[in-house]
Amino acid sequence: MPARFISSMMYLHSATSALLLTLVAGILAVNVSLPLTPPDTSQPLSSTLISFSIEQDRWPDWVGVDSRNEFTFNALSNLGALTGTPTKIRVGANSEDHTTWSPTITINSDSFPPPNSITPYPEATRIVVGDGYYQLSKFLPQGTVMTWGVNLGADNVTNAVNMAKSIIKAFGTSAVQQANVKLDMIEVGNEADLFKNNGLRPSNWTVQQYVADWESIAGPVADAAGLKKGGVTFQGAAFAGQGFTPSQIFNLGILDSTPGKLISTISQHRYSAAFCSGGDFALSSFMSKAAVRGNLTLWKPDIAASQQRSLRYILGETGSIACHGAPGVSNTAGAALWVTDYALQAASIGIEETFFHEGIGFKYNFFQPISLNRSILDGSPQNPPQPPHVMPSYYAGILINSFIGKSGSAKIVELSVSDSNVSGYAAFEGDSLKRAVFINLHAWLLSSTGSRPSVHIDPSFSSGSGKTTVKARRLVIQHADDTAGLSFGGQSFETSDAHPAGSVTEETIQLNEGFDLRSTEAILLSF
């Protein structure tokens, strides 16, 4: 609970809500006035706000080789059914700059370093792929839109062109076309701003050299792949941080170059910390409204610079903690609330999509698509192996996509909630308020004692609505540091096939009575 309680009334004003705080029966009560029509500050709410970035090395494990991976297919289909639009998939990341195409390989051949307690499932250091590798895209749900990465790190035009040709060939096959899986963009290089740190370029490599290097590879790739405006285009930047920025490459003229004119989207990557050498992270530090906003607002200049040039802006790779996540944080129920607030906050400031990074055995995954014979936490043996399963963050995807809805034209605005760790957002379709979500980020842990705190929320409207009741579904969590046992609207997705167990349970809330929201819980209201 917040440290500051007040017994007198305090009125707070903002562009989106007016709040009344009062202490009722020991519970902080927050009176939130929701706008009935979208304010001028509202932003488009993409049906594919929740998308996935897949580590390229073990792509066949995700989708299947001889037949589709049913667990992956079901997990993705659940999400797509809620918005009417399949989740977008980007395949690449660190692996894309260690990949070589070969005419003698059917699918792929990978070389991995040994696992250790910090990185139980390390990424491949060398990936050799053939045409069949990209053709596995046919196993994704109907209508999936994809971005594929090609190798910039090797600084090898021939290899990059061969990869691009193989990608285009795959999407021209009858199997992929019958699945209606579509190629949207090609990304040339992943996190090139780190090349000077990982040995792919000299330590004094500059952004000026990057632009020249990118153009020298992207030009032949565009020619070989037949890229064009209105068709398959380039995803630009894909920087890890702000060592290189979109504004820098814009000012260096990348958009005026022949391949640069084919950039349609600017992608940047964001993690809130890193576990590359281990470390100890407090879950409560991630379940923080202030920290979420601090981690996202630094991108506002890049968002503005991109949008001024009519370019889409996305987080093309993101997650809680870099280097596959941290135990006790990334794999917990608290991370589901973090994802919910983080993704919706991103949308509210103009970030169109958030591609949450996934890899086999990674701690921050939304789901694990295959059986695992080592612990994702410390690499210890698991006998029997742990079967495919959803992880807590998957529930955030279910909640967010339920909030987005199926209109394809929703808008979002953040609601000003004065509690330091309770967030709220409203979704609009046309000129009407349709849904709202509230997220209580106060951490209730296995070690917590006493009575579990709640915040009481009294929804009201900026003008009379005539509404007296609202339907609600809750994301129920027992403890923030639990790694299973969640439910949303009475349903669990912790099943052997990712199909939900149980019937949808909605509660009816009397608007004049409001509702309680426990610490470490979220609620979706449908008007």
Side-chain angles (χ1 to χ4, degrees):
M1 295 289 287
R4 183 179 64 185
F5 291 93
I6 57 175
S7 56
S8 60
M9 294 183 181
M10 177 188 295
Y11 289 91
L12 305 172
H13 300 280
S14 75
T16 57
S17 62
L19 307 171
L20 171 64
L21 296 180
T22 185
L23 188 63
V24 179
I27 298 176
L28 182 68
V30 183
N31 183 3
V32 182
S33 179
L34 290 87
L36 290 173
T37 58
D40 293 340
T41 54
S42 64
Q43 294 286 339
L45 183 56
S46 173
S47 298
T48 49
L49 172 64
I50 296 297
S51 294
F52 292 123
S53 164
I54 305 294
E55 191 66 48
Q56 186 163 310
D57 53 1
R58 298 187 66 172
W59 165 243
D61 287 331
W62 284 92
V63 287
V65 175
D66 297 319
S67 61
R68 74 187 186 196
N69 181 317
E70 292 293 339
F71 195 90
T72 295
F73 186 87
N74 293 342
L76 293 176
S77 296
N78 291 339
L79 294 168
L82 295 169
T83 62
T85 305
T87 302
K88 286 187 179 180
I89 301 293
R90 171 242 190 183
V91 185
N94 188 55
S95 302
E96 79 186 54
D97 289 304
H98 298 278
T99 299
T100 302
W101 179 87
S102 170
T104 63
I105 297 292
T106 303
I107 304 290
N108 68 309
S109 175
D110 297 350
S111 300
F112 291 90
N116 57 59
S117 60
I118 294 174
T119 312
Y121 289 87
E123 297 160 20
T125 53
R126 183 171 183 267
I127 305 104
V128 184
V129 303
D131 287 345
Y133 178 81
Y134 301 107
Q135 294 172 21
L136 300 179
S137 302
K138 66 186 178 184
F139 291 133
L140 290 170
Q142 285 270 337
T144 299
V145 172
M146 298 191 71
T147 296
W148 272 97
V150 302
N151 190 336
L152 176 67
D155 205 14
N156 184 322
V157 173
T158 300
N159 182 56
V161 165
N162 285 338
M163 290 175 70
K165 284 181 175 179
S166 188
I167 292 167
I168 295 297
K169 179 180 178 180
F171 284 85
T173 61
S174 59
V176 176
Q177 290 187 339
Q178 287 172 10
N180 195 30
V181 177
K182 299 176 182 177
L183 179 65
D184 185 27
M185 294 183 290
I186 288 176
E187 176 183 276
V188 178
N190 172 75
E191 298 183 352
D193 49 331
L194 299 185
F195 282 4
K196 62 184 179 182
N197 305 115
N198 60 23
L200 292 176
R201 294 293 186 278
S203 60
N204 60 351
W205 198 52
T206 65
V207 67
Q208 289 85 356
Q209 291 171 310
Y210 161 76
V211 169
D213 202 358
W214 184 89
E215 291 174 0
S216 71
I217 301 290
V221 164
D223 292 340
L227 272 57
K228 61 182 180 180
K229 289 184 177 180
V232 178
T233 56
F234 280 127
Q235 178 161 290
F239 299 143
Q242 292 190 307
F244 297 168
T245 69
S247 292
Q248 286 179 320
I249 63 174
F250 296 159
N251 292 336
L252 289 167
I254 195 170
L255 298 179
D256 298 322
S257 68
T258 298
K261 290 176 181 177
L262 296 171
I263 294 174
S264 62
T265 299
I266 292 297
S267 164
Q268 287 183 278
H269 299 174
R270 183 61 174 166
Y271 294 91
S272 300
F275 192 69
C276 307
S277 302
D280 186 16
F281 299 91
L283 176 57
S284 58
S285 69
F286 285 84
M287 295 177 64
S288 165
K289 184 176 172 179
V292 166
R293 281 137 192 80
N295 278 314
L296 288 170
T297 53
L298 81 163
W299 304 114
K300 284 186 174 181
D302 296 325
I303 297 168
S306 301
Q307 293 178 345
Q308 286 168 6
R309 293 163 173 81
S310 299
L311 299 171
R312 299 169 62 249
Y313 184 93
I314 67 171
L315 291 180
E317 181 183 320
T318 194
S320 55
I321 300 175
C323 299
H324 309 176
V329 177
S330 304
N331 62 315
T332 67
L337 296 180
W338 175 84
V339 168
T340 304
D341 192 34
Y342 180 85
L344 294 180
Q345 178 64 202
S348 74
I349 64 171
I351 297 173
E352 187 170 328
E353 292 161 340
T354 53
F355 284 72
F356 285 89
H357 196 49
E358 310 283 299
I360 298 298
F362 292 5
K363 303 171 189 72
Y364 48 47
N365 277 12
F366 279 45
F367 62 96
Q368 300 290 351
I370 63 170
S371 294
L372 302 175
N373 59 15
R374 296 190 298 275
S375 166
I376 67 171
L377 303 182
D378 59 11
S380 57
Q382 293 193 143
N383 189 15
Q386 187 175 19
H389 60 281
V390 303
M391 295 181 66
S393 290
Y394 184 79
Y395 287 89
I398 295 293
L399 170 56
I400 290 169
N401 281 14
S402 299
F403 172 74
I404 293 170
K406 295 182 178 180
S407 71
S409 58
K411 292 185 176 181
I412 185 173
V413 69
E414 183 179 9
L415 302 170
S416 294
V417 181
S418 62
D419 186 291
S420 63
N421 239 14
V422 177
S423 300
Y425 300 88
F428 305 85
E429 294 175 5
D431 291 328
S432 300
L433 172 67
K434 291 296 183 182
R435 288 168 293 278
V437 66
F438 292 94
I439 309 146
N440 190 333
L441 291 159
H442 292 286
W444 182 252
L445 303 165
L446 284 162
S447 59
S448 298
T449 58
S451 299
R452 186 170 180 172
S454 296
V455 171
H456 184 81
I457 297 176
D458 285 309
S460 58
F461 300 96
S462 54
S463 59
S465 71
K467 296 179 184 294
T468 58
T469 63
V470 63
K471 296 292 186 182
R473 282 176 281 167
R474 291 182 188 264
L475 176 57
V476 176
I477 296 169
Q478 299 307 313
H479 306 93
D481 40 358
D482 287 344
T483 58
L486 292 74
S487 66
F488 176 65
Q491 290 188 310
S492 169
F493 291 84
E494 295 160 36
T495 60
S496 61
D497 57 7
H499 286 314
S503 301
V504 173
T505 301
E506 290 187 322
E507 56 189 279
T508 300
I509 291 174
Q510 300 293 326
L511 287 173
N512 63 349
E513 296 177 3
F515 58 91
D516 291 342
L517 187 63
R518 300 187 303 171
S519 295
T520 311
E521 190 173 73
I523 191 168
L524 173 67
L525 309 181
S526 298
F527 298 98

